[in-house]
Every structure is written in C-alpha cells, then in structure tokens.
C-alpha cells in the first residue's frame, strides 16, 4: 500500500530524516493560513497516490498568502490522472542547489535489499537508470547487518555531498533504512533529496510503500480515503467490502454467491469478495489479489474458480506472482477446476500452496485457517 506524501513525511520526521516544515490543508483558507505560518511563501503539493504530480501541474510555488488561496482553490478542484485532489501539503519553500535521489527497496533479482542513490534526482529512477546507468549507485544491503559506515561514505562520495554535511547524510540514510526495515516496506524513496543553497540536505518528497498490515505502523493514523470499491470498479472487477478476515475471489456472480454462503455455513467471515469475471489472465488475477490484500484485515485468501474461458494455469500463475511479491503473511486456499486444471494444479503444488477440487473441503479448510489466524 502506497502512503500519501504527507503520511510518509510524518514517518520521515519520526525517523529523524530532515524535511522542510509543512502542514496539511484541505481548503483554500487552510492553505492560506499555512502559508502565513510559513512566513508568506510556500510550495503547495497535491496529495494523490498517482506519480508524476509535478509534471501534471499538481505542485505550485506561491509567494504570498493571497496567491496561496487562489492556487489552493485551483489545485483542490483538480483531478490528476483520474485521482481527485482532496488535500494539499503546504511546505516551506527551499532554494535547491542540486536534486539527488535515494531509496531502499527490495531487490527481486536476488531476494535481498538494495540501496539506490543518484546525483540526478527529480526524475524517475527508471528513467535515470535507462539513460545514465553510470549515475546510479546500487549497494546490496544485508538485512542481518544493515547500513554500515562505509556504505555512508560511499554514498556521500558518489553524490559529491560536501564533507560538512556528513552528519545529515548519516541521519538521512540511516533514518530511511530504519523506516524501510522496521515498517516492512517495499520501497522508501526520497526524490528529490535536495542539497539546498543554504547548505542543508532535505527530503523534498517522500514515497513509502508498505506491504503489510498497518498494525506495524504503530500510532500512525492513516486515513484510507482511497475507496477500494471504486478502485475495483475502475479495474472492471465487482468488489464488495465486508468486515471479516477471509478474502474471496471467484469468477461469475453465481459461484461467488455460492462460495460466500458456504464460507458462512462453516462459520467463517468474509472480509471482502471480488468477482474476476470470465477470461481473466495471470495479470488480472494478480491485480485482483493485490486489491484484495490491500485490506489489512485479510488473513486467508480463498480462490474458487471454474475454468471455462478462464484458464486454470493463468489463474495459478497470477496467484503465485502476487503472493510471492507480497510480504503479507496470508494463507491461500485454492479450488480450481476446468480448463488446463492439471497445469494449474502443478503450478500451485510446486509453489507450496493448498489445492482442492472439492468446494466444500476447500471452504472448510479456509474457515479452519481463518480461525487460527
Ligand atoms: P513528484 O512530481 O510527485 O515527484 O513531486 P515532488 O515532490 O518530487 O516535486 C517535483 C519537483 O518540484 C521537484 O523535483 C522539485 O524540482 C520541485 N520542488 C518540490 N518542492 C520544492 C521546493 O520546496 N522548492 C523548489 N524550488 N522546488 C520544489
Ligand atoms: Mn518526487
């Protein structure tokens, strides 16, 4: 789950990463007051989960409280790539000398963690890596050891950060790694990490993706205004939110209803259900599971699919991919019959997932696992 910038900034503060002063505003009046507090100038930043806000005009610099009010009004009526702007982060305006990049992320190629740094911040890391691979420093991080002093020296040298800012490098890199590792993040990224004209190192943007139940983010109140049902609709799934702990994925309305009844019959409580419809391929199944898992209360996923136009091997591949990529400790129970059933079965077995042909048996097992969770 991706956090809003203002949520991520709050975490940055908690982990001691230097950030500009900022306040959240949800109306032009609040934005005006915030800019007043910041001394009459500021940067208004649209709080949306989609990337590339800057390019889309979602970030504006203002030089007076009146301008803050006018610009806030414009931003708060904007939709950026389909996402409505409901809040702004009003931040202290800083004069940038250089924009750098720093992140920790999962290195899927060798099941480890990696620190990425670049002197060409402000641009997406994929773009920097594609155009200037020599400008990206990749350092593998052993989770048992963490960030070492020589890693810090290496980054500082690679980014050509002046020596007198070494202490800022230390708190920023160590803080970002602690946040990343303690909260079980998929990604913790600062882009840009600004070297300011008055010689400070400040995280001007904060991107954090947490792939886990939010209980691990102790004490942080995350307002999940993103409506899952709406997200599902946009992806063409029918999705319904409930309040149990079993996530249900089926194809077809009839089978979905029968599955829900069976789960309830055995004493289980669904957290949500999602109908993937007919002909879903591996990628679609993967997005369906990801969507289902973005609800923290889901402990067991029950997949009940009848393969017709939908191919069982595609379903199995999608399931394996999404669960492997997730750090959530969820159990999976699959009942999968029909087209290319043997192949689907083989894929699931090889990856250590429970597989059933009987819908009743599968439902009973799901409820048993949900009670243990
Ligand atoms: P993104 O487009 O969603 O990545 O939004 P960012 O928060 O990274 O901002 C985009 C760009 O706006 C940055 O790369 C900076 O160039 C610029 N920017 C952001 N904050 C400030 C600021 O306080 N002062 C100045 N001068 N520029 C800023
Ligand atoms: Mn950015």
């Amino acid at each position: 789950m991706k956090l809003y910038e203002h949520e991520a900034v709050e975490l940055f503060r908690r982990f001691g990463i230097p950030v500009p002063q900022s306040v959240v505003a949800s109306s032009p009046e609040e934005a005006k007051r915030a800019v007043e507090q910041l001394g009459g100038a500021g940067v208004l930043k649209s709080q949306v989960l989609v990337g590339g806000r800057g390019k889309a005009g979602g970030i504006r610099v203002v030089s007076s409280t009146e301008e803050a009010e006018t610009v806030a009004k414009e931003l708060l009526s904007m939709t950026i790539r389909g996402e409505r702007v409901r809040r702004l982060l009003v931040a202290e305006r800083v004069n940038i000398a250089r924009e750098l990049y720093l992140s920790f992320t999962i290195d899927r190629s060798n099941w480890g963690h990696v620190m990425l740094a670049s002197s060409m911040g402000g641009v997406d890391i994929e773009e920097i890596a594609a155009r200037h691979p020599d400008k990206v420093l990749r350092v593998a991080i052993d989770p048992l050891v963490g960030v070492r002093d020589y890693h810090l020296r290496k980054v500082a040298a690679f980014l050509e950060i002046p020596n007198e800012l070494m202490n800022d490098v230390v708190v920023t890199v160590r803080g970002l790694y602690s946040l990343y590792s303690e909260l079980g993040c998929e990604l913790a990224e600062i882009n840009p990490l600004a070297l300011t004209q008055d010689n400070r190192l400040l995280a001007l943007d904060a991107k954090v993706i947490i792939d886990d139940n939010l209980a691990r983010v102790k004490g942080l109140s995350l307002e999940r205004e993103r409506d899952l049902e709406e997200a599902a609709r946009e992806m063409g799934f029918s999705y319904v939110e409930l309040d149990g702990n079993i996530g249900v994925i089926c194809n077809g309305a009839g089978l979905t209803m029968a599955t829900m009844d069976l789960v309830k019959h055995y004493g289980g409580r669904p957290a949500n259900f999602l109908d993937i419809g007919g002909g879903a391929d591996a990628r679609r199944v993967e997005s369906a599971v990801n969507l289902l898992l973005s609800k923290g209360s889901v402990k067991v996923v029950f997949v009940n699919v009848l393969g017709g136009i939908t191919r069982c091997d595609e379903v199995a591949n999608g399931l394996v991919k999404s669960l492997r990529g997730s750090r959530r400790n969820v159990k999976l129970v699959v009942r999968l019959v029909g087209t290319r059933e043997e192949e689907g079965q083989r894929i699931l077995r090889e990856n250590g997932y429970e597989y059933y042909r009987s819908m009743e048996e599968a439902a009973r097992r799901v409820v048993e696992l949900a009670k243990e969770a």
Side-chain angles (χ1 to χ4, degrees):
M1 179 173 78
K2 184 174 170 184
L3 304 188
Y4 284 97
E5 181 192 16
H6 71 90
E7 297 169 330
V9 164
E10 192 49 49
L11 289 177
F12 277 19
R13 288 207 176 94
R14 204 185 291 175
F15 282 85
I17 300 166
V19 292
Q21 289 181 57
S22 61
V23 188
V24 177
S26 31
S27 69
E29 296 70 42
E30 281 176 27
K32 183 181 173 184
R33 237 176 296 135
V35 167
E36 203 174 297
Q37 274 177 42
L38 295 172
V43 183
L44 307 191
K45 311 183 77 178
S46 306
Q47 298 301 288
V48 286
L49 295 168
V50 292
R53 295 170 301 175
K55 277 188 205 144
I59 295 182
R60 305 268 298 271
V61 174
V62 298
S63 316
S64 71
T65 50
E66 293 72 38
E67 196 186 355
E69 193 172 8
T70 323
V71 170
K73 202 175 279 170
E74 288 173 30
L75 291 176
L76 288 167
S77 58
M78 257 175 87
T79 299
I80 300 179
R81 293 172 51 203
E83 197 179 331
R84 261 199 52 209
V85 179
R86 294 196 186 86
R87 283 190 180 76
L88 304 174
L89 183 67
V90 183
E92 167 198 353
R93 195 164 105 194
V94 303
N95 296 316
I96 304 173
R98 286 168 56 209
E99 298 194 24
L100 313 172
Y101 175 96
L102 178 72
S103 72
F104 287 92
T105 189
I106 298 170
D107 184 0
R108 301 207 189 265
S109 58
N110 59 31
W111 296 94
H113 302 284
V114 64
M115 173 174 70
L116 297 175
S118 174
S119 52
M120 305 189 78
V123 184
D124 279 358
I125 188 68
E126 290 79 14
E127 204 174 320
I128 312 172
R131 292 205 195 154
H132 307 276
D134 55 313
K135 294 279 199 261
V136 180
L137 174 71
R138 298 175 58 92
V139 181
I141 302 290
D142 179 342
L144 297 176
V145 182
V147 171
R148 308 288 301 266
D149 285 349
Y150 76 85
H151 291 142
L152 300 167
R153 287 195 297 273
K154 201 163 165 180
V155 177
F158 187 83
L159 299 178
E160 297 173 54
I161 297 175
N163 267 336
E164 65 265 32
L165 289 180
M166 197 56 204
N167 187 49
D168 293 38
V169 172
V170 173
V171 294
T172 303
V173 177
R174 286 210 180 280
L176 192 66
Y177 182 69
S178 305
L179 185 161
Y180 171 82
S181 55
E182 285 174 29
L183 301 180
C185 295
E186 258 180 37
L187 173 73
E189 180 187 81
I190 308 177
N191 188 21
L193 171 63
L195 198 65
T196 69
Q197 287 172 14
D198 57 358
N199 225 15
R200 291 185 291 165
L201 196 62
L202 284 175
L204 287 203
D205 189 10
K207 183 168 167 186
V208 170
I209 301 179
I210 296 183
D211 191 15
D212 206 344
N213 51 69
L214 289 164
R216 288 171 75 184
V217 191
K218 290 182 195 86
L220 187 78
S221 61
L222 296 164
E223 82 290 307
R224 279 300 76 170
E225 55 207 326
R226 179 171 46 153
D227 184 346
L228 281 176
E229 293 192 4
E230 196 175 311
R233 222 176 0 257
E234 278 164 18
M235 292 191 247
F237 295 124
S238 50
Y239 173 88
V240 174
E241 287 255 24
L242 299 157
D243 57 7
N245 61 356
I246 300 169
V248 178
I249 295 182
C250 299
N251 61 338
L255 186 63
T256 306
M257 288 308 127
T259 307
M260 299 296 286
D261 285 346
L262 207 55
V263 166
K264 284 185 202 148
H265 172 78
Y266 289 117
R269 290 187 312 120
N272 46 15
F273 69 82
L274 192 151
D275 179 353
I276 57 173
D281 60 6
R283 280 185 71 145
R284 233 172 126 62
V285 171
E286 194 185 340
S287 348
V289 179
N290 290 341
L291 190 83
L292 213 75
L293 290 182
S294 57
K295 192 164 173 181
S297 53
V298 173
K299 303 291 181 227
V300 183
V301 174
F302 182 13
V303 178
N304 186 9
V305 168
L306 267 175
I309 355 169
T310 311
R311 287 170 37 179
C312 295
D313 55 338
E314 287 284 326
V315 173
N317 278 323
L319 291 173
V320 169
K321 192 129 178 269
S322 56
L323 289 169
R324 198 186 273 158
S326 160
R327 285 191 176 187
R328 292 273 307 272
N329 181 25
V330 291
K331 298 275 188 319
L332 174 71
V333 175
V334 187
R335 185 246 183 179
L336 197 54
V337 291
T339 312
R340 298 181 68 93
E341 178 181 326
E342 289 76 24
E343 184 61 11
Q345 190 176 16
R346 187 187 61 76
I347 295 166
L348 290 168
R349 287 243 164 84
E350 277 176 4
N351 285 280
Y353 293 114
E354 294 190 23
Y355 169 90
Y356 295 86
R357 283 207 91 247
S358 147
M359 182 159 151
E360 284 74 18
E361 256 177 65
R364 228 179 290 141
R365 178 67 179 142
V366 164
V367 174
E368 187 179 290
L369 288 170
K371 284 191 173 144
E372 286 168 14

